[in-house]
Amino acid sequence: MLPDEHRTIDFFTEGALPAPRMAPAEAELIAAEHLGIAARAQALGSQQDANFLLHADDGTPSAILKIANPAFGTVEIDAQDAAADLIASARPELRIATVLRRPDGSPRRTTVDTGNGPAVARLLRHLPGGTLSGPRHLSPGTVAGMGTIAGKVSTALRDFRHPGLDRVLQWDPQHADRVVAKLAGHIDEPDRRTAVRTATAEAWAQVHKLAATLPSQAVHLDLTDDNLIRCPDSRPPLPDGVIDFGDVTTSWAVGELAVSLSSMLHHDGIEPHHVLPAVRAFHAVRPLSSEEADAVWPLVVLRAAVLVASGRHQAAVDEDNVYAKAALDHEWRIFEQATCLPLPVMIRLIRDATGRADVPARTARADAPVSSLLRDLAVDDITLLDLSTDADSMDHGAWTDARTEARLVTSALAGGAAAVATRYAHARLTRTPALSAVSTATVPTGIDLWLGMDAVVQAPAAGKVLAAAPGHVELTCGARVLSLSFPRAVQPVVTTGATVRAGEDITHLRSGASVHIALRDADGPAAPRLVRPEYAAGWLALTADPAPLLGLPADSDRTRERDLLDRRDAAFATAQEHYYANPPRIERGWRHHLLSTDGRSYLDIVNNVTPLGHAHPRVEQAVSRQSRRLNTNSRFHYASVVEFTERLTALLPDPLDTVFLVNSGSEAVDLGLRLAIGASGRHDVVALREAYHGWTYASDAVSTSLQDNPNALATRPDWVHTLDSPNSYRGRHRGPDAVRYAPEAVAVIDELAAAGRPAGAFIGETFYGNAGGVALPDGYLAQVYAAVRRHGGLAVADEVQVGYGRLGHWFWGFEQQQVVPDIVCVAKAMGNGHPLGAVITSKAVADRYRDQGYFFSSTGGSPVSSIVGLTVLDTLRDEDLQGNAARVGGHLKCRLEALAGRYGIIGAVHGSGLYLGLELVRDRSDLEPATEETAELCDRMLDLGVIVQPTGDHLNILKIKPPLCIDTTAADFFADMLDLALIQLGHSR
């Protein structure tokens, strides 16, 4: 019996749609006898069809055998194949699972008998690469890629017409309310069943209002993580292929996006805001109308509800369907995420993402009141309490103290303020935990007011009392609802349902009481007092600034973060890159924490510029004190420059007794090379490969890092000669063989001398910082220094990154090698963020330079710089930060080595103290660098509250060089988040 070729499915007339039951042996027989392909069949999961991957004799995949559900007619199969062919032609950059065809052009398909009737079986193109299925976290690029494909498919199918599209599918959002009504009874748990029905009713009501304005067209309607194929070997996984056209129909075009978004919500670490890159990507390819943008999230909720109800139904009617049963948990996770925020919030958030927000959230404000909310309270008597990252009151880590808000309020009231008010929409840093894997609610949707006098709360305008109870009143205020919360012991003087005039008493508050004031849209949900920054645009669009009700000016529309980044790119040379594609705006630091303007705290794992920690009070006080007195150039005579240079030389062995002060590491290296060349009379310099020394002409000339300059080795001036990178992990000589680097380097130095070009200097990091903290082979510098000196050259040590106690066991990197250089270059840590660098050498070398002229740096060694330098040295000593580097660094290295034992992608843990490097590789045998995986890991770590960045020629090493004040708690947080991120990104344990 053949299927009716003109029949199309109507889900509501079907009793059930169990997948055809077909064993792999039967599939192999069908493929061989009817479709002309001898292959081994491997069963693949499907909700309603039977799918098999066919393997050739050598094991390579050759095709997909798809046996459609018997309920689907031939005309529907024709429509699916035609749609696939159309997209493949219109979008050649996409790989599409089209039907395979015979030499005459006819599709390779047949009709087979199943237990439930005849069904169409056909061969489809196999797309290598694998799907995006599974729990793996989806990175922003993957999410955006899914949105882009949905947009491309939508545009390709826009004008597609076919009689096989006239179907009534359970997956079509146009029928979602009916599907849930029919199937929700299969949800056994009463609370879940109620939740699904309630969410469906609310979402359907929203969609129903928009339905007439939503354009319809042919849609794939199943562009989910199960049906988008990743580009082979793409890292992170990026989709470029589309399979399974079984749900092709005519429906609302925006449903294409909603289906894709819903499939993202079950992945590890994904919550609603993470799908916004897909919305933006879809909108860039196929612009959404305002009505479509408003329909997106209600359709996501409806899709989630249908998935839950359909999944339970399918598991009941098709008990042997392992695929359907396995999906039940993640379908519920999709529903939970889709409904975790009120619909209006997500609708406004999507408006914001597509640039269709009616009013920028932070410009919404209350209408001018007829009467002030608080009678007889003068606006000049109200003190504004700023709790943002910009507030001086947050200095010295005050934001970490839970008592800070109360202390500030008490102080202001004691100082004579009649009232103290917080600010609407400005993130409160006082609500920010120092370490957190997720952002916390920091953005206020209203105002808190503390009273220093008795006050009468009065109606600001005529309105109706919606609710009145001890401690709470709600009343209409124009087009909005005014909500007032005060101590529960206080009884309002109005009653629910009453009508009030402007100026009529609402309640009476005593001095010392507090009141929370909020304004929301009359038809919107009640907003939490504080909301998470990722969702603030959605919540704030439903609220308004109540400040005008108190006579205060409304919060102005502050510069949006993206606008600020665009301004940076326009005015700031793009060669000066910023971390991350979408960086947080960092405006405050404290110890080993960085704070964004959204009130998010990030653990700083990358900042070796501030060894004492951010905003150290001793440095701040020292700079302020000296700036009030004198700051000039070092030609003047003052004590601090003498004391600082004496302290520096005391930290170094003989004969390093003379100091030049500059402003940066680049200047220090440049000057160090000039000193060496001047003292030796030789202009050739020997440098190590895979090293970075700076941006000035000389320091750049000896920098060979391919990441800083991809043409570094080819563009070196002829006076620079490079030696093999003595990298014992991934260099030419590894492990015990690394001892060969030194003799080979000596041979090169000797050959230069024999050729009449003896090196005037050798420069190298004393601990291989740019390579991720790789220790030089034992004895390496001793042999190289001796060779250079034998031919009249000098040894220049670059201690810019690793010096000043960072290595824990040694203050200087050269101490680990048991050598003494002729010239030491240092910076970064010297100033704790203040521009300060130094070159320390012997008096003999310095005097040779004096013979050639004089040296002068306008601000190098200025009074302020010298005081900063002294303060840093004092604090390093007094707080035992070198010791802390050894202790905490040792603990952290043990944690990282434990992770290396569990994750194959971790090839090695390099370094000492708090200069560590975690090297990521795809294969421990050939050490293929995991460059893209490292970038993805850094992005995920940012989302988890950690700032860490890659280094090395292949950018596959996490550089771990936090402020030296970091404690064990923070180190453990870093290791824990790294563990979590590696799991979420699918790396095997």
Side-chain angles (χ1 to χ4, degrees):
M1 179 181 176
L2 296 176
D4 183 349
E5 62 179 287
H6 298 296
R7 175 177 57 84
T8 59
I9 188 173
D10 183 338
F11 168 74
F12 297 100
T13 65
E14 299 286 340
L17 294 175
R21 296 187 179 182
M22 191 76 60
E26 296 175 275
E28 292 168 3
L29 190 63
I30 292 170
E33 293 188 355
H34 299 283
L35 300 173
I37 180 171
R40 178 173 54 84
Q42 174 189 348
L44 303 174
S46 177
Q47 185 87 0
Q48 295 171 341
D49 301 321
N51 298 321
F52 298 88
L53 175 59
L54 301 181
H55 294 273
D57 291 339
D58 62 0
T60 59
S62 55
I64 297 294
L65 172 62
K66 186 176 188 69
I67 303 171
N69 193 290
F72 301 150
T74 304
V75 68
E76 295 173 278
I77 307 301
D78 289 340
Q80 294 169 28
D81 294 343
D85 287 339
L86 173 61
I87 297 170
S89 174
R91 291 291 186 174
E93 71 275 16
L94 299 180
R95 295 182 297 145
I96 306 297
T98 52
V99 66
L100 298 183
R101 298 185 180 275
R102 298 184 176 91
D104 64 358
S106 61
R108 295 176 70 175
R109 74 185 188 196
T110 188
T111 300
V112 298
D113 288 325
T114 71
N116 295 315
V120 176
R122 68 199 194 277
L123 294 180
L124 302 175
R125 176 188 174 194
H126 171 257
L127 305 182
T131 69
L132 299 174
S133 301
R136 187 193 193 281
H137 180 79
L138 300 176
S139 294
T142 306
V143 170
M146 294 174 73
T148 296
I149 288 182
K152 290 181 175 181
V153 168
S154 183
T155 56
L157 293 178
R158 179 178 291 147
D159 299 320
F160 179 57
R161 305 287 185 272
H162 196 284
L165 300 179
D166 186 15
R167 321 166 73 193
V168 179
L169 298 176
Q170 73 188 97
W171 310 114
D172 186 342
Q174 295 178 118
H175 312 301
D177 61 329
R178 296 169 61 199
V179 172
V180 172
K182 178 176 179 175
L183 303 181
H186 291 276
I187 303 173
D188 294 332
E189 306 91 333
D191 55 338
R192 291 191 174 189
R193 184 169 59 249
T194 299
V196 168
R197 285 173 170 163
T198 301
T200 299
E202 182 187 4
W204 185 256
Q206 178 68 26
V207 171
H208 184 68
K209 291 188 297 185
L210 301 168
T213 65
L214 301 179
S216 293
Q217 64 167 72
V219 287
H220 180 285
L221 211 58
D222 204 11
L223 295 174
T224 67
D225 55 341
D226 289 336
N227 294 326
L228 292 179
I229 305 300
R230 58 182 287 177
C231 178
D233 300 322
S234 63
R235 298 180 177 92
L238 296 175
D240 73 340
V242 179
I243 64 172
D244 194 355
F245 284 73
D247 293 339
V248 166
T249 188
T250 298
S251 185
W252 294 316
V254 68
E256 201 80 278
L257 173 61
V259 166
S260 194
L261 296 181
S262 65
S263 75
M264 304 171 190
L265 294 176
H266 73 91
H267 287 262
D268 284 350
I270 293 290
E271 52 180 288
H273 74 87
H274 287 110
V275 309
L276 294 178
V279 175
R280 297 185 188 99
F282 182 95
H283 185 60
V285 175
R286 192 278 189 193
L288 295 163
S289 68
S290 296
E291 294 79 10
E292 286 180 310
D294 283 0
V296 168
W297 205 257
L299 291 175
V300 169
V301 172
L302 291 173
R303 172 73 175 189
V306 167
L307 284 172
V308 172
S310 297
R312 295 301 184 92
H313 171 250
Q314 193 70 20
V317 302
D318 196 1
E319 294 181 356
D320 296 331
N321 192 327
V322 176
Y323 175 86
K325 289 188 174 181
L328 296 179
D329 287 342
H330 85 236
E331 287 166 350
W332 182 251
R333 160 81 179 168
I334 289 171
F335 179 80
E336 286 183 313
Q337 288 297 310
T339 57
C340 68
L341 287 158
L343 266 181
V345 175
M346 288 306 301
I347 289 170
R348 268 62 173 192
L349 202 63
I350 289 174
R351 285 185 191 174
D352 185 73
T354 56
R356 296 189 177 278
D358 297 330
V359 180
R362 290 181 179 174
T363 63
R365 65 195 68 186
D367 297 328
V370 176
S371 301
S372 175
L373 183 63
L374 293 181
R375 188 178 300 154
D376 299 329
L377 178 64
V379 65
D380 291 340
D381 293 333
I382 301 175
T383 296
L384 281 177
L385 184 61
D386 187 357
L387 302 172
S388 71
T389 52
D390 294 333
D392 290 344
S393 59
M394 296 298 102
D395 289 350
H396 305 142
W399 59 275
T400 63
D401 187 347
R403 300 165 297 178
T404 292
E405 284 189 19
R407 177 177 54 80
L408 293 173
V409 169
T410 300
S411 175
L413 294 177
V420 178
T422 60
R423 302 172 72 189
Y424 167 82
H426 290 248
R428 294 190 189 178
L429 208 56
T430 46
R431 303 305 175 95
T432 303
L435 300 170
S436 178
V438 295
S439 67
T440 51
T442 57
V443 180
T445 59
I447 286 175
D448 285 311
L449 188 77
W450 292 266
L451 295 171
M453 54 176 276
D454 293 349
V456 175
V457 180
Q458 60 185 4
K464 181 178 180 180
V465 179
L466 303 177
H472 183 71
V473 171
E474 280 194 355
L475 66 155
T476 59
C477 186
R480 296 189 173 93
V481 171
L482 172 62
S483 176
L484 304 170
S485 299
F486 37 85
R488 289 184 59 83
V490 177
Q491 181 73 39
V493 299
V494 294
T495 57
T496 302
T499 299
V500 293
R501 302 180 306 277
E504 187 172 336
D505 288 10
I506 300 297
T507 192
H508 302 155
L509 298 175
R510 301 300 299 271
S511 176
S514 64
V515 57
H516 179 76
I517 308 165
L519 276 171
R520 72 173 191 272
D521 290 353
D523 58 352
R529 293 190 180 191
L530 296 167
V531 296
R532 292 175 58 197
E534 295 91 341
Y535 302 107
W539 281 110
L540 294 179
L542 297 166
T543 65
D545 187 353
L549 300 182
L550 299 170
L552 296 168
D555 180 49
S556 61
D557 184 21
R558 297 185 293 162
T559 302
R560 296 173 65 91
E561 305 303 310
R562 176 54 56 184
D563 293 342
L564 186 66
L565 196 60
D566 290 342
R567 287 164 53 198
R568 171 184 171 129
D569 291 341
F572 200 56
T574 55
Q576 302 172 91
E577 298 177 348
H578 53 73
Y579 293 142
Y580 305 108
N582 295 297
R585 180 177 166 189
I586 303 296
E587 296 286 359
R588 179 177 288 275
W590 174 246
R591 293 180 57 80
H592 42 280
H593 307 287
L594 292 169
L595 290 307
S596 76
T597 51
D598 283 333
R600 180 82 192 267
S601 175
Y602 296 92
L603 174 60
D604 182 2
I605 291 295
V606 76
N607 235 312
N608 61 343
V609 175
T610 51
L612 311 185
H614 299 285
H616 197 288
R618 288 180 69 171
V619 175
E620 175 222 338
Q621 292 159 13
V623 169
S624 177
R625 180 175 183 272
Q626 186 59 50
S627 294
R628 292 196 305 269
R629 297 184 172 193
L630 174 69
N631 197 24
T632 184
N633 68 66
S634 58
R635 285 177 171 174
F636 288 92
H637 181 46
Y638 48 90
S640 58
V641 72
V642 178
E643 295 170 6
F644 180 42
T645 51
E646 287 176 341
R647 288 282 296 279
L648 278 177
T649 58
L651 292 167
L652 289 150
D654 291 336
L656 301 173
D657 59 4
T658 304
V659 179
F660 294 81
L661 292 175
V662 291
N663 303 292
S664 69
S666 295
E667 293 178 48
V669 170
D670 192 291
L671 178 58
L673 290 173
R674 291 175 62 189
L675 288 172
I677 291 170
S680 67
R682 294 167 168 79
H683 292 276
D684 288 87
V685 175
V686 175
L688 297 177
R689 298 185 193 126
E690 200 180 350
Y692 174 75
H693 297 288
W695 56 264
T696 64
Y697 176 75
S699 61
D700 177 66
V702 295
S703 293
T704 52
S705 166
L706 299 181
Q707 282 304 320
D708 294 292
N709 179 0
N711 302 310
L713 296 177
T715 58
R716 297 304 89 200
D718 63 1
W719 51 270
V720 176
H721 311 276
T722 61
L723 302 176
D724 234 353
S725 167
N727 189 325
S728 58
Y729 178 70
R730 70 163 49 254
R732 284 197 310 120
H733 307 309
R734 301 175 181 178
D737 289 342
V739 297
R740 298 168 61 182
Y741 285 119
E744 290 178 357
V746 169
V748 172
I749 293 167
D750 289 343
E751 288 169 7
L752 283 172
R757 302 189 65 174
F762 163 79
I763 184 167
E765 288 185 287
T766 54
F767 206 93
Y768 225 167
N770 197 64
V774 178
L776 299 176
D778 289 345
Y780 181 83
L781 286 184
Q783 296 180 60
V784 172
Y785 281 11
V788 170
R789 288 165 174 162
R790 188 167 61 248
H791 298 294
L794 299 180
V796 181
D798 183 345
E799 294 275 355
V800 171
Q801 294 210 71
V802 301
Y804 256 57
R806 177 160 290 279
L807 296 175
H809 302 290
W810 308 279
F811 192 85
W812 303 107
F814 64 75
E815 293 174 325
Q816 186 265 341
Q817 286 281 304
Q818 299 181 4
V819 295
V820 177
D822 300 299
I823 298 169
V824 174
C825 305
V826 62
K828 287 194 187 296
M830 293 182 70
N832 204 57
H834 183 86
L836 181 57
V839 179
I840 307 101
T841 187
S842 65
K843 184 172 178 58
V845 170
D847 286 348
R848 289 293 304 275
Y849 186 83
R850 184 69 179 91
D851 292 343
Q852 303 169 44
Y854 68 93
F855 171 80
F856 172 65
S857 173
S858 294
T859 55
S862 70
V864 167
S865 292
S866 297
I867 285 294
V868 168
L870 282 165
T871 304
V872 169
L873 289 175
D874 289 343
T875 309
L876 283 171
R877 177 199 63 211
D878 297 345
E879 298 183 5
D880 188 26
L881 293 182
Q882 182 180 348
N884 192 63
R887 293 184 296 273
V888 177
H891 173 80
L892 179 55
K893 190 170 186 180
C894 287
R895 289 291 314 270
L896 298 177
E897 288 171 339
L899 292 179
R902 301 205 302 271
Y903 295 100
I905 193 172
I906 300 177
V909 181
H910 306 301
S912 173
L914 286 173
Y915 201 111
L916 303 175
L918 193 77
E919 183 146 3
L920 305 183
V921 297
R922 292 174 184 161
D923 189 317
R924 288 184 177 179
S925 58
D926 64 13
L927 303 187
E928 180 185 0
T931 301
E932 290 78 13
E933 293 90 336
T934 305
E936 183 185 30
L937 181 59
C938 289
D939 285 340
R940 184 66 192 130
M941 291 292 282
L942 180 70
D943 211 27
L944 293 173
V946 178
I947 290 179
V948 64
Q949 285 289 298
T951 190
D953 270 5
H954 306 287
L955 291 181
N956 69 311
I957 307 167
L958 296 185
K959 52 185 174 185
I960 301 166
K961 46 181 187 175
L964 300 185
C965 61
I966 190 173
D967 54 30
T968 303
T969 299
D972 282 335
F973 178 78
F974 170 61
D976 291 342
M977 293 306 99
L978 189 59
D979 190 5
L980 176 60
L982 289 169
I983 293 173
Q984 291 182 337
L985 295 176
H987 299 295
S988 58
R989 298 188 72 165

